[in-house]
Amino acid sequence: MSFAGDVKTELCRTSLSRRCCARAEAYGVLLHCNTFTPQLARIITEHEGFAGRLPVLFQKAFQTAFDQCSDGPGKRSLAVTDPEKLKKLHHAFGLDPNALALHVNFAVLEESCCRFAFLRGAFLAGGSVTDPAKDYHLELTTSHKSAGRELLALMREEGFQPKASARKGSQMIYFKQSNFIEDFLTAIGAPVSAMGVMTAKLEKDLNGSINRQVNCDAANLDKTVEAAQTQIEAIRRLQASGQLDQLPDKLQQAARLRLLYPEYNLSQLAQQHEPPVSKSTLNHRLRRLLELGRV
């Protein structure tokens, strides 16, 4: 199952103990499902847990059963077609069946618990979230433009900071920051999934830190090898010209050790001296050898 599927599975385990919250969740479902009109309410889902939750949810919220339940290839469709039942659904949220656009009725979402239940229903019906190991993106999509704008306002009132955009005639509310996704999932009832996002981020940060360190070490090694090669070439020229034997003992020792340990950096090479010398002292001696051995 995908990460989004795991999130919805966790959300579907949330109890339906309060009728007001059940209604709020159903409200979120209806405003973000496939079809919600005065003639039809239809919810199509690929998630078995959500399909199994819907009859219980609607019974708790409205004492209403679905009129149609059918299975398609990998999908379940649940629909309310009875006119009296549809009137009941619209009436429960103060919606005008004759209105041209659906709106979020904030009056039925006064309690904070109901607002989060509404957001949970919105995610179950119209939400998705990418695998945090790959990317950070959570979105809620509705075909009702006014409801989408009001959802954005509702989320901002609750302290979230989503962004909004239009896509193929639908309104999309989304997050692209891992910490915002964590907060949202926790609020709507998926703390385990939120922890999964946090863990994925920590693993990414750790891997990134390791990669940066490896790259830095590789770059430093390249610089060490390049510098050592230049020093060795200068020392070879001094040997060939007979000048090396005429230099002070300290320069001869530095030259001999550099030829013996071409892969050592300054710190390692400095420790091979008898007695050991500082990096700055060794660096001064090697630079002197480079000057003398310059072509």
Side-chain angles (χ1 to χ4, degrees):
M1 185 179 291
S2 67
F3 181 75
D6 291 340
V7 173
K8 291 185 179 184
T9 296
E10 184 178 1
L11 292 176
C12 287
R13 297 193 187 106
T14 305
S15 65
L16 296 169
S17 56
R18 300 183 64 181
R19 188 182 182 192
C20 63
C21 290
R23 283 198 169 193
E25 183 177 323
Y27 193 16
V29 169
L30 289 169
L31 289 182
H32 292 79
C33 69
N34 303 83
T35 307
F36 183 40
T37 68
Q39 294 78 35
L40 175 67
R42 184 186 303 280
I43 306 155
I44 300 174
T45 181
E46 299 176 353
H47 194 277
E48 291 185 6
F50 181 38
R53 182 180 179 85
L54 283 168
V56 181
L57 176 65
F58 274 57
Q59 184 63 38
K60 178 73 174 181
F62 316 111
Q63 287 77 52
T64 296
F66 286 96
D67 300 312
Q68 298 176 4
C69 296
S70 60
D71 293 328
K75 294 183 179 181
R76 180 80 61 86
S77 175
L78 299 95
V80 177
T81 56
D82 182 88
E84 292 303 316
K85 291 181 181 179
L86 288 166
K87 285 182 182 179
K88 187 176 183 179
L89 297 183
H90 281 79
H91 178 73
F93 305 118
L95 301 175
D96 181 1
N98 299 314
L100 296 177
L102 289 176
H103 293 269
V104 175
N105 185 351
F106 289 88
V108 300
L109 301 175
E110 293 183 349
E111 298 295 330
S112 182
C113 60
C114 292
R115 291 188 169 200
F116 292 135
F118 174 82
L119 294 175
R120 179 169 58 249
F123 182 83
L124 285 169
S128 65
V129 59
T130 58
D131 184 344
K134 300 176 181 177
D135 193 14
Y136 304 123
H137 183 88
L138 182 149
E139 67 179 56
L140 302 172
T141 304
T142 177
S143 59
H144 307 292
K145 294 183 179 180
S146 297
R149 290 192 294 268
E150 291 151 2
L151 173 66
L152 180 64
L154 173 66
M155 294 177 72
R156 287 176 174 169
E157 283 185 13
E158 291 301 320
F160 300 114
Q161 300 178 45
K163 295 182 179 180
S165 68
R167 184 177 64 190
K168 295 181 180 179
S170 296
Q171 291 295 112
M172 182 177 70
I173 310 298
Y174 65 94
F175 298 104
K176 280 189 172 295
Q177 294 90 351
S178 61
N179 57 318
F180 293 162
I181 295 174
E182 292 166 18
D183 292 343
F184 181 78
L185 291 179
T186 299
I188 65 174
V192 175
S193 298
M195 185 63 69
V197 176
M198 185 182 301
T199 300
K201 184 177 186 300
L202 290 174
E203 289 178 352
K204 282 184 180 180
D205 290 345
L206 178 60
N207 291 335
S209 177
I210 292 173
N211 289 337
R212 285 191 296 273
Q213 185 62 51
V214 169
N215 291 336
C216 181
D217 290 345
N220 289 336
L221 180 58
D222 289 343
K223 290 179 181 178
T224 298
V225 171
E226 183 178 351
Q229 186 62 38
T230 302
Q231 293 159 5
I232 290 171
E233 290 174 358
I235 294 168
R236 295 294 188 197
R237 286 193 292 270
L238 290 172
Q239 282 180 325
S241 65
Q243 296 180 67
L244 187 60
D245 294 337
Q246 300 174 19
L247 297 178
D249 291 342
K250 292 178 179 180
L251 291 182
Q252 290 189 45
Q253 183 185 29
R256 185 174 65 256
L257 289 172
R258 171 46 81 200
L259 294 175
L260 188 60
Y261 302 107
E263 76 281 7
Y264 278 16
N265 59 33
L266 283 178
S267 296
Q268 295 169 320
L269 198 61
Q271 294 302 310
Q272 298 302 316
H273 283 66
E274 291 292 343
V277 298
S278 65
K279 281 176 59 177
S280 61
T281 297
L282 177 57
N283 187 48
H284 174 75
R285 294 177 183 178
L286 291 172
R287 291 179 68 178
R288 181 60 178 157
L289 288 168
L290 282 173
E291 292 173 1
L292 293 171
R294 186 176 300 155
V295 178

